[in-house]
Amino acid sequence: MHEDAHRFPAQVYEIACKIREMKIRGAGRIAKAAAEALGVAAEDYKGEDLEDFKMYMVNVSKLLTSTRPTAVSLPNAVSWVLKPLSSPDISSVQEAKAAVKSRAKAFVHYADQALRKIAEFGEKLLTDGDTVLTHCNSLAAISVIVEAFRRGKNIQVFVTETRPKYQGYITSEMLLKEGLRIRLIPETSVRYLMKRVDKVVVGADTVAANGAVVNKIGTSLIALAAHEKAVDFFVATETFKFSPYTFIGDIVPIEFRPPSEIVSEEFLKMHPRLKVLNPAFDVTPPDFISGIITELGIIPPKSAAIIIEEIYGRPVISMESPRGVEEDTS
Ligand code: RUB
């Protein structure tokens, strides 16, 4: 538990736990939940000292950003919501609270609107009769597929199971509810089935300045198989998943999750020398990506740096790493 957790409202702590335990998951939903938590924390603050309020919000943001390391949407959302706190125009706790609460709401609104725009831009890439493959559970990718279907295109979807957490089941349910035809497939079958796929659409946790995309483990293998068969591979993502940190060469930390997601405790006890590696994300190089569908339009992956510079400005190199890296690669 974070040292200041006793000062945070229970709802903030609950949101942080849900993100850590993947009850809230997916980069966009994580960012929205973090923004909401900041709004709740600001509302709950009781003191009158502006500096103390700022410190309190910094501690809340540390709790939130410590939950999962890979999706840059999380620190991006937190910095965006807390930006007014560094403005000289804010001179009282009341003003600061109001500014944080209104930015938190504005972020959630922006995120919802962004998904709508991504759907509108992205659906144009899909053609009547397409078989589209998607991986994991990405609302941005799903919004593109569903929009095309709602506009009357007959789309069939291959959904990977997405071991070890089976987010493919969630995706299947969402798409079935919309009336789409689904084939749930193990990701090990992707190369074999790629000959029946017209397009791949996946989401992103982080887009690096060089256009590389970090997404659920297995994405880069799917991209490789698509590349081999010259199948278009699209990434659907809000621009708040573009990483300003990578602009100055920071490596995106890849989350490694517990062995228990892969293998039973019993099996581990039976084989004490067995080590399990469970990386949750991988990196797809820009050369395998046909286009990135954002709320600002569809861009070639190599233009990621331009988007980052436009949104965040040219980042200043700091001596401190912006985010802690917690990897268990042992
Ligand atoms: C989820 C995942 C999703 C992206 C994009 O991983 O990799 O593809 O987060 O999702 P996890 P969205 O289940 O480990 O969080 O488009 O919904 O933001």
Side-chain angles (χ1 to χ4, degrees):
M1 190 189 289
H2 191 271
E3 58 187 17
D4 265 352
H6 64 279
R7 288 187 61 194
F8 306 154
Q11 204 184 334
V12 168
Y13 193 60
E14 265 164 36
I15 290 173
C17 282
K18 280 187 180 166
I19 297 174
R20 196 185 297 278
E21 290 163 10
M22 290 179 65
K23 288 180 184 129
I24 296 173
R25 38 147 309 284
R29 283 155 281 184
I30 289 172
K32 276 170 63 175
E36 277 164 2
L38 291 169
V40 169
E43 169 73 31
D44 188 73
Y45 182 80
K46 303 283 184 315
E48 291 297 328
D49 180 337
L50 183 56
E51 287 314 308
D52 184 63
F53 176 70
K54 286 182 186 174
M55 192 48 71
Y56 162 83
M57 290 310 299
V58 166
N59 286 332
V60 174
S61 71
K62 280 187 187 160
L63 170 72
L64 292 168
T65 54
S66 71
T67 51
R68 292 194 75 191
T70 300
V72 78
S73 54
L74 177 54
N76 279 351
V78 166
S79 321
W80 194 86
V81 171
L82 296 188
K83 197 159 181 220
L85 296 187
S86 51
S87 158
D89 299 340
I90 299 279
S91 58
S92 70
V93 169
Q94 276 65 36
E95 281 172 10
K97 280 173 80 163
V100 170
K101 278 168 28 188
S102 115
R103 294 278 281 195
K105 258 198 194 148
F107 182 86
V108 172
H109 179 72
Y110 183 90
D112 291 340
Q113 292 297 109
L115 275 186
R116 258 168 236 138
K117 287 265 170 225
I118 288 167
E120 279 167 27
F121 285 124
E123 75 83 20
K124 294 185 177 55
L125 298 168
L126 305 187
T127 312
D128 189 27
D130 271 354
T131 293
V132 178
L133 186 146
T134 192
H135 183 50
C136 195
N137 174 247
S138 158
L139 286 191
I142 289 171
S143 76
V144 168
I145 296 165
V146 167
E147 187 64 25
F149 182 71
R150 283 185 186 161
R151 291 188 189 209
K153 294 176 193 170
N154 178 18
I155 307 275
Q156 169 174 244
V157 192
F158 284 4
V159 179
T160 57
E161 285 179 306
T162 318
R163 271 188 55 81
K165 299 284 282 181
Y166 297 102
Q167 289 93 330
Y169 291 12
I170 311 171
T171 299
S172 297
E173 275 177 351
M174 287 179 172
L175 293 174
L176 285 170
K177 221 170 97 192
E178 290 288 333
L180 279 120
R181 278 183 305 134
I182 305 297
R183 298 285 178 272
L184 184 65
I185 61 167
E187 46 266 45
T188 39
S189 69
V190 162
R191 184 163 179 261
Y192 174 69
L193 291 173
M194 193 53 81
K195 54 183 174 285
R196 293 167 57 181
V197 173
D198 299 296
K199 274 139 207 165
V200 177
V201 184
V202 297
D205 281 80
T206 292
V207 179
N210 68 350
V213 167
V214 183
N215 191 51
K216 179 53 57 191
I217 191 77
T219 303
S220 67
L221 267 175
I222 296 170
L224 192 61
H227 186 72
E228 183 190 35
K229 288 262 183 319
V231 169
D232 272 330
F233 182 97
F234 295 108
V235 176
T237 174
E238 304 87 331
T239 54
F240 56 74
K241 296 173 191 159
F242 284 55
S243 166
Y245 312 113
T246 57
F247 202 92
I248 49 170
D250 261 32
I251 304 289
V252 179
I254 298 293
E255 176 182 16
F256 278 67
R257 297 194 54 88
S260 55
E261 287 182 357
I262 304 268
V263 69
S264 69
E265 295 292 341
E266 197 186 10
F267 192 77
L268 281 173
K269 274 194 196 123
M270 274 164 60
H271 304 284
R273 284 192 302 111
L274 178 71
K275 296 274 184 217
V276 174
L277 290 181
N278 182 17
F281 299 96
D282 66 19
V283 185
T284 299
D287 290 347
F288 293 175
I289 300 170
S290 314
I292 303 184
I293 309 159
T294 78
E295 73 276 20
L296 305 179
I298 301 166
I299 62 155
K302 298 243 162 97
S303 297
I306 300 171
I307 297 274
I308 292 173
E309 204 175 342
E310 253 175 39
I311 296 177
Y312 301 95
R314 189 170 279 272
V316 180
I317 297 176
S318 111
M319 297 305 284
E320 269 180 53
S321 177
R323 293 183 288 157
V325 181
E326 276 178 49
E327 276 192 7
D328 177 10
T329 51
S330 58

